[in-house]
Amino acid sequence: MTPHPQRRRRGEDRREQIIDQALGSFAENGYHNSSIAEIATRCGLSQPGLLHYFPNKAALLAAVLDYRDRLDYDRFGMNRQLSGTEALRQLVQLVEHNMHVPGLVQLFTVVTSEAVTSDHPARDWVVNRYRIMETYLAGALDGGVTDGTFRPGIDTRAVAREISAMMDGLQLQWLLDPERVDMAELFRAYIDDLTIRLSI
Amino acid sequence: MTPHPQRRRRGEDRREQIIDQALGSFAENGYHNSSIAEIATRCGLSQPGLLHYFPNKAALLAAVLDYRDRLDYDRFGMNRQLSGTEALRQLVQLVEHNMHVPGLVQLFTVVTSEAVTSDHPARDWVVNRYRIMETYLAGALDGGVTDGTFRPGIDTRAVAREISAMMDGLQLQWLLDPERVDMAELFRAYIDDLTIRLSI
């Protein structure tokens, strides 16, 4: 028997609310230092009430990361493969956008680095995410080589790793010292130079 | 009355041992998820025995970060200001060296990112460290401009922030996926390109 439509709707709203509050808690405190009890309180739920939706903290983190992935996927235009300079410009826009969503950036920075600690439930997600990014960005750079915008012979996987590293490193400095570090400006300058370096 | 020399020596040895074990614990678990009790056990000490040397976990973290700073300071050659391409080559050597001390790199990566979370005791240390790096690296690049190796008009503080970001981002990817990511090779390629971009 399927649930009553309105009840299902309320269940989905509740799940979204829990994911939203969990995202805030993981970003502010890290995964290890967040608790189911505190997230339940943020949602106005009892602990068993929350556990009805997500059986444990690791399941909740997985749901938060899936949610972030879907946002990225849409915003990043990864549903269609951009190529060459168009893909690089898209990245600059992504970083500009990120300056308006510090909570999401902080979640990513905190959880990604925490994932290098022992037995972290997000480790596979994080490792896999970098591999996907490498493949996506290398593909975009290969597209630029194919269409004649970029020089042949570029190690596109290496440049892809470099671009990800620059995004992450600038995010961290911006989160720590936002008055002093304009990550979008710094990233744009980096991408402009990179574009010159890659171009024919 | 000064303590007996041999007793003082033993006290210093004990402090070093505690710092060494705390460093391992913070790197493996993060600061929030480490405990004084566990670090005391690693040292074969009781909890009050450890608290005799360091009054709380934040004091222990400060000692660990000071220790890491001294290592960096010596290794990095920050005791004398290098300039231009010589400073950039030194950075490549530092990254090569870092591949042999994954525990120290992990400590830095974990604690630096954790410092963006609420009320983290290392936050000031981390923010300040990036400012010092910015000043040191910008000074090195300015030196290259002065001696005529680098082009005039470079925004050396921006390039300094960019270099730090690349180091951090590559460290993270290497810690997560060491079989796939050769951070020294990637960083060397980045610095080679940067040197060309900066040079006259």
Side-chain angles (χ1 to χ4, degrees):
Chain A
M1 207 185 102
T2 54
H4 185 280
Q6 196 172 352
R7 182 175 302 167
R8 195 170 57 201
R9 183 66 243 154
R10 276 204 299 268
E12 281 168 19
D13 288 350
R14 186 59 94 179
R15 281 180 63 91
E16 275 176 29
Q17 182 208 13
I18 296 169
I19 288 173
D20 192 48
Q21 294 300 327
L23 195 159
S25 179
F26 294 148
E28 284 162 33
N29 310 311
Y31 173 78
H32 284 315
N33 212 35
S34 293
S35 73
I36 288 283
E38 181 237 332
I39 296 165
T41 305
R42 281 171 174 246
C43 299
L45 284 171
S46 67
Q47 211 166 320
L50 187 149
L51 295 172
H52 170 72
Y53 293 93
F54 297 96
N56 52 51
K57 199 165 72 159
L60 197 43
L61 180 62
V64 166
L65 297 176
D66 278 347
Y67 168 74
R68 218 213 100 119
D69 261 354
R70 282 197 308 276
L71 285 182
D72 261 16
Y73 191 85
D74 296 343
R75 188 185 311 138
F76 199 42
M78 283 177 76
N79 39 350
R80 56 201 188 92
Q81 172 90 47
L82 299 177
S83 86
T85 49
E86 192 188 8
L88 296 178
R89 272 201 305 273
Q90 175 86 353
L91 288 178
V92 173
Q93 280 169 27
L94 177 67
V95 173
E96 280 164 359
H97 174 85
N98 281 343
M99 291 186 79
H100 302 288
V101 286
L104 280 174
V105 174
Q106 185 164 323
L107 170 82
F108 177 77
T109 297
V110 170
V111 170
T112 300
S113 300
E114 210 179 22
V116 309
T117 60
S118 310
D119 303 323
H120 196 283
R123 184 163 188 135
D124 288 347
W125 179 87
V126 170
V127 170
N128 197 42
R129 193 177 177 285
Y130 280 103
R131 292 181 179 175
I132 290 170
M133 280 291 285
E134 180 193 305
T135 300
Y136 173 79
L137 290 174
L141 298 169
D142 288 335
V145 174
T146 304
D147 71 19
T149 321
F150 291 159
R151 287 188 289 106
I154 296 165
D155 183 346
T156 52
R157 290 200 167 260
V159 178
R161 286 280 175 179
E162 193 189 282
I163 294 170
S164 285
M166 185 62 73
M167 291 177 81
D168 291 345
L170 291 177
Q171 279 181 357
L172 176 61
Q173 291 182 42
W174 170 68
L175 288 169
L176 287 165
D177 210 354
E179 302 295 311
R180 196 182 183 107
V181 178
D182 181 340
M183 73 165 169
E185 181 58 35
L186 290 167
F187 188 68
R188 193 183 308 109
Y190 164 74
I191 289 292
D192 286 349
D193 285 319
L194 180 65
T195 305
I196 293 168
R197 161 157 61 111
L198 298 176
S199 298
I200 294 229
Chain B
M1 207 183 101
T2 53
H4 185 279
Q6 193 172 352
R7 184 175 300 169
R8 195 171 57 201
R9 183 65 244 156
R10 274 205 299 267
E12 282 168 20
D13 288 350
R14 185 60 96 177
R15 281 180 62 90
E16 275 178 28
Q17 181 208 14
I18 295 168
I19 288 173
D20 191 48
Q21 294 300 328
L23 195 159
S25 179
F26 294 147
E28 283 162 34
N29 309 311
Y31 172 77
H32 284 313
N33 213 34
S34 293
S35 73
I36 288 282
E38 182 237 330
I39 296 166
T41 304
R42 281 172 174 247
C43 299
L45 283 171
S46 68
Q47 213 167 319
L50 187 149
L51 295 171
H52 171 72
Y53 293 92
F54 297 96
N56 53 51
K57 198 167 72 161
L60 197 43
L61 180 61
V64 166
L65 297 177
D66 279 347
Y67 168 74
R68 217 211 100 116
D69 262 355
R70 284 198 307 277
L71 286 183
D72 260 15
Y73 191 85
D74 296 342
R75 188 186 311 139
F76 198 40
M78 283 177 77
N79 40 350
R80 56 200 188 92
Q81 172 90 47
L82 298 177
S83 87
T85 49
E86 192 188 8
L88 296 179
R89 271 201 304 272
Q90 175 86 354
L91 288 178
V92 173
Q93 280 168 28
L94 178 67
V95 173
E96 281 164 0
H97 174 84
N98 280 342
M99 292 186 77
H100 301 288
V101 286
L104 279 174
V105 174
Q106 184 163 326
L107 171 82
F108 177 79
T109 298
V110 170
V111 171
T112 300
S113 299
E114 210 178 22
V116 308
T117 61
S118 310
D119 303 323
H120 196 283
R123 184 164 187 131
D124 287 348
W125 179 86
V126 170
V127 170
N128 197 42
R129 193 175 178 285
Y130 280 102
R131 292 181 179 176
I132 291 170
M133 279 291 286
E134 180 192 306
T135 300
Y136 172 79
L137 289 174
L141 298 168
D142 288 335
V145 174
T146 305
D147 72 19
T149 322
F150 292 158
R151 289 187 287 106
I154 295 166
D155 183 346
T156 53
R157 290 199 168 261
V159 177
R161 285 279 175 179
E162 194 189 283
I163 293 170
S164 285
M166 186 62 74
M167 291 177 81
D168 292 345
L170 291 177
Q171 279 180 359
L172 175 61
Q173 291 182 41
W174 170 68
L175 289 169
L176 287 164
D177 210 355
E179 301 296 311
R180 196 180 183 107
V181 177
D182 181 341
M183 72 166 171
E185 180 58 36
L186 290 166
F187 188 68
R188 191 183 309 110
Y190 165 74
I191 289 292
D192 286 349
D193 285 319
L194 180 65
T195 305
I196 293 169
R197 159 153 67 109
L198 298 175
S199 298
I200 294 224

